[in-house]
């Protein structure tokens, strides 16, 4: 058995380590930076660097790297050894404050969406002291932001930090209205991570899995998830061993892996950590994804983080649990017990409702990808329409505020919610009526955003959420700071804003056709495919939001839009390419071989005077399917080679032309699969993979 307290954070340059190894003044100065987002004292860096290096070396580290999150969605590293020479040529292990604070990776190979001309390849990384450094593979990893020399941001961490600052200052301002002094308010995040584990040997045999992370071909298995016997089912020993190993690796890195269980689909599992501030939670989730893959290898598995590895089987998401916490540890989304706490809660709740309504497009954009398109709105995950579920009790309260009527079923005295004097009904923390079809659900003291895909970096989603909520709070504070009668103005504001944004609230079944129609009547966005959504990134209202809160410049928004569209079309082309290769070089030849053998059997039987009617029919069907697939494959090839200059046109073309043609080819191949002798079939089938 692992002793968690010995293992936890053993590879992290944590607060505890810093307190031990840093001079008191340096430690305090760094702590202020971490807790309050204050800028770092430059002379502190050298002292910290040396202490960090000594600590890392004592743990066996030989190298260091700036660990950053370019817009590819994964993390990037450039390793340097601590090695240097002194004047007499003696080898030394050295690491300076300068090396800690700044690095210069070649930026030219990372996507920048036109922000950085190719000749201006220089970018730099800068230390983010608000997330802990850690050791992985004998390398000291220093969390950093990544910018171009002209100051434009090229990563996912910088905007996240900026959005956290914006949110914090507006929330601090809001709290002051209630007579509270907070130094900092952080968004707290708990990201539940879903994934598939399959046997490595099967994975190796399929080009599609290896290059796209999903199966582009494959007929349904005899058994899918209809029995729902996998969900919370007992975990098989091989997977259990994997999970134990994973937990330990994550604990060493300070990732508080807490829950591991099976999910709905066969081979699907989930891991949930204990929540942390948005920045650390994002780093932790990036590390989690990396470790999932690494540890899987050690156990003879391949870990699939794709949103939809198997057609007809539930896909994987990442639930982004989000709340607000003050530096004193108060959760602002906890309704509280007193009327004052209730009023404060209602104001924050109203701000969130407004934010999600006003910027529903941005939330949708933050979860748009080729992979997630298979999931959103596909009867398994939240729909592509953003709406909020607050539960019956809170819905009742909201209605009573809007209509100034007593809340149903509540005692008369607490009926009309007189903000500042009335008391909210006690809300069940663990509401059992939790709506699984809602994309954005209130779960007692936090919101759970369920649209992010399993492979996503959660930074983008939280940039949108933080900034949008900062904007609501900022507008509210502008108004309330001027109010003569705070209580009356607060009440009026909450009533007005809840009425204005009521349309985003929906407690019903998000998967239903009726909701799609109702949402259209309410004027909510319903962007079904990635290009439909991403093209709105640079809408004027969105640019204005990001500029106001110093999160992105106009150019940065446009570049992110372009990267999103470009990434989408690249993925579709790769998927089509993998499909073409598998069909032409594996599936079609195997089908022809099998048809030939059946035909031979037919002719042998004919020479014996036997008719072999069924076999003849089989040859006819196989031949007809092979003929069709040969034709459709050629069409796909032509479509897939069509170049498009403009990035939106290219993405549009993929969505409207390439994907439907892929679906045609797949349907034919999947029919063949059900007819061809298994010994001829060149790739592992769904039954092989899902029921190993
Ligand atoms: P489930 O959603 O499966 O019922 P929980 O509600 O217990 O599980 O928690 C799901 C995730 O939400 C966990 O990662 C947990 O740490 C996180 N969480 C709990 N409270 C908060 C909070 N105040 N802010 C952000 N995340 C939270
Ligand atoms: Mg959950």
């Amino acid at each position: 058995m692992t002793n968690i307290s010995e293992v936890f954070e053993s590879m992290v340059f944590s607060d505890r380590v810093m307190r031990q190894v840093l001079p008191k003044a340096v430690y305090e100065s760094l702590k202020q930076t971490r807790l309050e987002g204050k800028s770092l004292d430059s002379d502190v860096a050298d002292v910290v660097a040396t202490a960090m290096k000594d600590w890392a070396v004592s743990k066996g580290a030989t190298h260091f790297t700036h660990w950053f999150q370019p817009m590819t969605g994964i993390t990037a590293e450039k390793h340097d050894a601590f090695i240097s020479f002194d004047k007499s040529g003696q080898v030394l292990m050295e690491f300076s404050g300068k090396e800690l604070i700044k690095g210069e990776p070649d930026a030219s190979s990372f996507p920048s969406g036109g922000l950085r001309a190719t000749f201006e390849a220089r970018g730099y990384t800068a230390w983010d002291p608000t997330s802990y450094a850690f050791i992985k593979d004998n390398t000291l990893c220093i969390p950093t932001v990544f910018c171009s020399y002209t100051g434009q941001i090229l990563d996912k961490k910088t905007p996240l930090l900026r959005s956290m600052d914006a949110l914090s200052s507006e929330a601090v301002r809001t709290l002051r209205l209630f007579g509270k002094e907070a130094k900092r308010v952080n968004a707290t995040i708990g990201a539940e991570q879903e994934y598939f584990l399959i046997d490595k040997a099967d994975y190796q045999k399929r080009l599609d899995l290896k290059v796209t992370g999903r199966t582009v071909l494959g007929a349904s298995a005899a058994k899918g998830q209809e029995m729902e016997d996998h969900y919370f089912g007992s975990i098989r020993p091989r997977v259990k061993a994997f999970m134990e190993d994973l937990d330990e690796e994550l604990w060493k890195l300070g990732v508080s892996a807490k829950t591991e269980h099976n999910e709905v689909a066969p081979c699907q599992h989930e891991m949930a950590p204990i929540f942390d501030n948005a920045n650390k939670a994002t780093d932790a989730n990036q590390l989690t994804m990396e470790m999932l893959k690494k540890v899987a290898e050690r156990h003879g598995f391949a870990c699939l983080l794709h949103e939809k590895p198997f057609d007809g089987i539930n896909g994987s998401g990442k639930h982004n649990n989000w709340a607000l916490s003050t530096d004193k540890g108060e959760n602002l989304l906890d309704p509280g017990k007193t009327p004052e706490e209730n009023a404060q809660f209602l104001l924050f709740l109203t701000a969130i409702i407004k934010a999600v309504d006003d910027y529903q497009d941005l939330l949708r954009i933050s979860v748009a990808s080729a992979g997630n398109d298979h999931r959103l709105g596909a009867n398994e995950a939240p729909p592509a329409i953003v709406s909020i579920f607050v539960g019956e009790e809170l819905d009742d309260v909201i209605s009573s505020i809007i209509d100034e009527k007593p809340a149903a079923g509540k005692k008369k005295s607490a009926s009309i919610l007189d903000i500042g004097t009335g008391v909210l009904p006690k809300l069940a923390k663990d509401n059992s009526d939790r709506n699984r079809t809602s994309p954005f659900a209130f779960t007692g003291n936090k919101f759970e955003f369920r649209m992010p895909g399993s492979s996503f970096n959660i930074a983008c989603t939280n940039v949108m959420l933080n900034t949008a909520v900062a904007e609501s709070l900022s507008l509210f504070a502008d108004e309330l700071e001027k109010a003569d009668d705070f209580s009356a103005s607060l009440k009026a504001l909450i009533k007005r804003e809840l009425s204005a944004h009521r349309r985003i609230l929906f407690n019903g079944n998000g998967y239903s056709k009726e909701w799609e129609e109702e949402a259209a009547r309410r004027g909510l966005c319903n962007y079904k495919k990635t290009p439909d959504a991403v093209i709105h990134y640079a809408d004027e209202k969105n640019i204005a939001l990001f500029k106001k809160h110093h999160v992105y410049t106009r150019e940065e928004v446009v570049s992110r839009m372009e990267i999103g569209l470009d990434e989408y079309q690249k993925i579709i082309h790769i998927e089509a390419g993998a499909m073409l290769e598998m069909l032409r070089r594996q599936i079609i030849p195997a089908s022809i071989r099998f048809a030939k053998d059946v035909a031979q059997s037919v002719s042998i039987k004919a020479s014996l005077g036997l008719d072999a009617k069924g076999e003849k029919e089989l040859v006819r069907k196989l031949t007809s399917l092979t003929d069709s697939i040969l034709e459709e494959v050629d069409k796909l090839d032509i479509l897939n080679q069509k170049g498009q200059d403009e990035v939106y046109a290219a993405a549009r073309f993929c969505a409207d032309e390439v994907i439907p043609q892929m679906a045609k080819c797949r349907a034919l191949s999947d029919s063949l699969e059900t007819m061809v002798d298994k010994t001829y079939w060149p790739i592992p089938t769904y039954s092989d993979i899902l029921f190993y």
Side-chain angles (χ1 to χ4, degrees):
M1 260 306 273
T2 312
N3 181 343
I4 300 187
S5 58
E6 266 171 36
V7 170
F8 194 72
E9 284 191 337
S10 60
M11 289 301 192
V12 181
F13 194 67
S14 63
D15 186 66
R16 192 178 49 82
V17 176
M18 287 188 248
R19 204 173 332 126
Q20 273 169 14
V21 303
L22 294 176
K24 198 163 186 311
V26 173
Y27 168 77
E28 288 301 333
S29 151
L30 195 56
K31 192 169 174 183
Q32 292 311 310
T33 305
R34 290 206 328 272
L35 295 184
E36 293 163 31
K38 289 216 180 103
S39 61
L40 184 78
D41 223 353
S42 61
D43 42 288
V44 165
D46 268 324
V47 184
V48 179
T50 305
M52 209 188 256
K53 185 226 19 180
D54 290 344
W55 168 82
V57 170
S58 79
K59 296 266 177 188
T62 50
H63 289 68
F64 70 93
T65 181
H66 278 197
W67 187 78
F68 58 105
Q69 300 171 27
M71 290 186 280
T72 51
I74 55 163
T75 42
E77 305 172 356
K78 174 178 171 257
H79 294 198
D80 283 299
F82 286 124
I83 193 164
S84 63
F85 294 100
D86 71 5
K87 285 196 192 95
S88 62
Q90 281 278 17
V91 69
L92 286 176
M93 299 276 264
E94 244 185 11
F95 184 51
S96 66
K98 198 169 145 278
E99 285 169 305
L100 167 65
I101 287 185
K102 197 161 171 179
E104 298 188 20
D106 178 0
S108 61
S109 316
F110 293 107
S112 70
L115 273 187
R116 179 182 27 68
T118 28
F119 60 85
E120 226 283 69
R122 275 148 61 92
Y124 69 91
T125 50
W127 183 31
D128 161 26
T130 59
S131 188
Y132 296 137
F134 55 91
I135 298 169
K136 179 169 69 70
D137 300 330
N138 294 329
T139 301
L140 170 68
C141 300
I142 300 150
T144 52
V145 297
F146 179 40
C147 306
S148 77
Y149 256 89
T150 44
Q152 276 144 332
I153 51 181
L154 297 172
D155 71 344
K156 305 210 175 206
K157 188 191 263 277
T158 314
L160 178 66
L161 293 172
R162 290 183 184 173
S163 73
M164 287 169 72
D165 286 347
L167 179 61
S168 179
S169 50
E170 299 302 340
V172 164
R173 216 181 132 195
T174 307
L175 285 174
R176 213 169 287 137
L177 294 166
F178 291 90
K180 282 191 191 163
E181 280 303 325
K183 285 199 176 115
R184 174 94 188 165
V185 172
N186 267 329
T188 51
I189 310 292
E192 300 166 66
Q193 175 73 48
E194 291 181 336
Y195 59 94
F196 279 84
L197 269 191
I198 63 169
D199 200 277
K200 185 77 200 250
D202 288 333
Y203 174 86
Q204 289 291 4
K205 288 183 203 137
R206 293 199 53 141
L207 177 71
D208 50 1
L209 281 177
K210 283 194 284 184
V211 303
T212 74
R214 78 176 182 102
T215 54
V216 296
L217 304 170
S220 303
K223 182 181 175 204
Q225 61 192 50
E226 47 284 276
M227 307 297 285
E228 304 211 329
D229 50 357
H230 192 252
Y231 193 45
F232 286 110
S234 67
I235 300 173
R236 59 181 119 190
R238 205 178 140 196
V239 174
K240 183 104 182 94
F242 159 84
M243 286 177 173
E244 279 170 10
D245 200 2
L246 174 71
D247 280 345
E248 183 158 344
E249 290 300 331
L250 290 174
W251 290 337
K252 281 188 208 164
L253 297 172
V255 178
S256 55
K258 178 155 175 77
T259 329
E260 305 270 9
H261 64 78
N262 284 355
E263 263 298 328
V264 182
C267 301
Q268 195 187 27
H269 312 282
E270 182 187 294
M271 172 280 189
I274 296 172
F275 67 94
D276 205 335
N277 78 51
N279 183 31
K280 283 166 76 188
T282 302
D283 286 357
N285 184 250
Q286 292 296 109
L287 275 176
T288 300
M289 291 195 283
E290 188 181 330
M291 284 302 146
L292 276 166
K293 297 221 162 218
K294 254 196 200 147
V295 176
E297 292 264 341
R298 289 213 287 260
H299 290 257
F301 287 122
C303 174
L304 307 179
L305 291 173
H306 193 279
E307 284 73 25
K308 191 76 175 178
F310 306 100
D311 231 38
I313 301 278
N314 264 16
S316 302
K318 179 139 53 192
H319 292 175
N320 188 79
N321 292 274
W322 184 96
L324 289 171
S325 176
T326 68
D327 53 331
K328 299 192 178 71
E330 179 185 356
N331 178 357
L332 300 176
L333 298 196
D334 198 324
K337 290 184 198 73
T338 64
E340 293 74 22
E341 284 169 348
N342 285 176
Q344 179 193 302
F345 163 74
L346 281 172
L347 185 65
F348 278 97
L349 178 74
T350 306
I352 295 166
I353 291 173
K354 174 178 165 60
V356 173
D357 187 23
D358 286 343
Y359 298 99
Q360 45 181 290
D361 50 347
L362 286 180
L363 288 177
R364 171 68 184 92
I365 288 162
S366 78
V367 298
S369 78
N372 220 15
D373 277 2
H374 296 284
R375 194 175 150 257
L376 297 182
N379 257 21
E380 59 171 73
I385 307 161
V386 176
S387 68
I388 303 179
F389 170 80
V390 291
E392 220 176 284
E393 293 154 311
L394 207 48
D395 203 51
D396 223 29
V397 171
I398 289 172
S399 300
S400 79
I401 294 173
I402 294 175
D403 306 331
E404 290 196 41
K405 280 210 290 276
K410 301 285 149 6
K411 271 192 261 126
K412 246 212 144 134
S413 57
S415 54
I416 299 173
L417 196 105
D418 184 10
I419 294 153
T421 53
V423 185
L424 275 181
K426 204 168 154 30
L427 300 175
K429 271 256 164 56
D430 196 17
N431 18 3
S432 47
D433 66 333
R434 238 164 59 179
N435 185 336
R436 285 181 61 90
T437 68
S438 175
F440 200 89
F442 184 68
T443 50
N445 61 358
K446 62 184 179 349
F447 275 99
E448 183 170 344
F449 184 43
R450 301 181 176 131
M451 287 169 100
S454 46
S455 68
F456 276 62
N457 181 322
I458 53 171
C460 187
T461 274
N462 290 303
V463 166
M464 307 300 199
L465 252 173
N466 295 346
T467 314
V469 174
E471 172 65 2
S472 310
L473 291 174
S474 150
L475 295 176
F476 291 180
D478 286 347
E479 183 174 332
L480 294 173
E481 278 166 359
K482 284 192 240 117
D484 296 329
D485 181 345
F486 174 67
S487 188
S489 306
L490 178 67
K491 189 177 168 185
L493 181 146
I494 289 178
K495 180 179 170 195
R496 185 191 72 218
E497 294 295 332
L498 286 177
S499 313
H501 298 287
R502 195 179 206 174
R503 65 171 188 166
I504 198 79
L505 301 178
F506 178 63
N507 284 347
N509 177 9
Y511 296 167
S512 69
K513 191 77 207 146
E514 293 79 56
W515 168 232
E516 213 179 324
E517 289 158 12
E518 168 65 16
R521 276 193 294 276
R522 294 188 190 185
L524 302 179
C525 305
N526 185 5
Y527 300 135
K528 294 206 166 133
K529 294 178 188 160
T530 295
D532 305 337
V534 175
I535 193 65
H536 291 285
Y537 210 151
D539 285 357
E540 284 306 319
K541 78 174 215 322
N542 296 337
I543 290 177
L545 171 80
F546 289 126
K547 277 170 77 174
K548 173 172 169 186
H549 295 281
H550 307 288
V551 173
Y552 292 128
T553 61
R554 173 182 296 274
E555 293 71 30
E556 285 164 350
V557 175
V558 171
S559 81
R560 260 146 233 262
M561 176 180 77
E562 286 178 1
I563 289 169
L565 293 168
D566 190 46
E567 190 183 77
Y568 172 82
Q569 62 95 16
K570 279 186 182 139
I571 289 171
I572 303 298
H573 284 310
I574 293 169
E575 287 185 352
M579 181 182 261
L580 281 169
E581 183 168 339
M582 290 168 78
L583 290 174
R584 281 182 168 158
R585 305 191 56 199
Q586 294 184 291
I587 307 297
I588 297 172
S591 305
I592 293 174
R593 264 197 310 276
F594 177 59
K596 187 197 83 188
D597 286 356
V598 182
Q600 249 163 13
S601 159
V602 170
S603 74
I604 292 167
K605 286 176 180 172
S607 73
L608 298 173
L610 298 169
D611 185 22
K613 220 170 102 203
E615 283 168 59
K616 265 192 214 158
E617 185 51 31
L618 180 57
V619 181
R620 219 184 323 270
K621 274 193 197 147
L622 287 166
T623 308
S624 140
L625 279 170
T626 332
D627 281 348
S628 311
I629 203 169
L630 280 165
E631 206 180 309
E632 298 302 336
V633 160
D634 284 347
K635 286 191 206 155
L636 177 61
D637 198 0
I638 291 167
L639 291 175
N640 202 38
Q641 286 189 39
K642 233 181 187 156
Q644 226 91 21
D645 291 340
E646 199 267 315
V647 68
Y648 177 68
R652 201 58 286 151
F653 186 78
C654 284
D656 300 340
E657 305 291 335
V658 181
I659 290 179
Q661 187 59 25
M662 285 174 72
K664 265 192 202 163
C665 293
R666 177 177 188 149
L668 292 166
S669 170
D670 292 356
S671 295
L672 278 169
E673 187 185 321
T674 62
M675 278 180 224
V676 173
D677 177 345
K678 189 163 169 46
T679 57
Y680 290 67
W681 200 252
I683 54 173
T685 63
Y686 275 21
S687 304
D688 299 331
I689 300 172
L690 293 169
F691 301 95
Y692 58 86

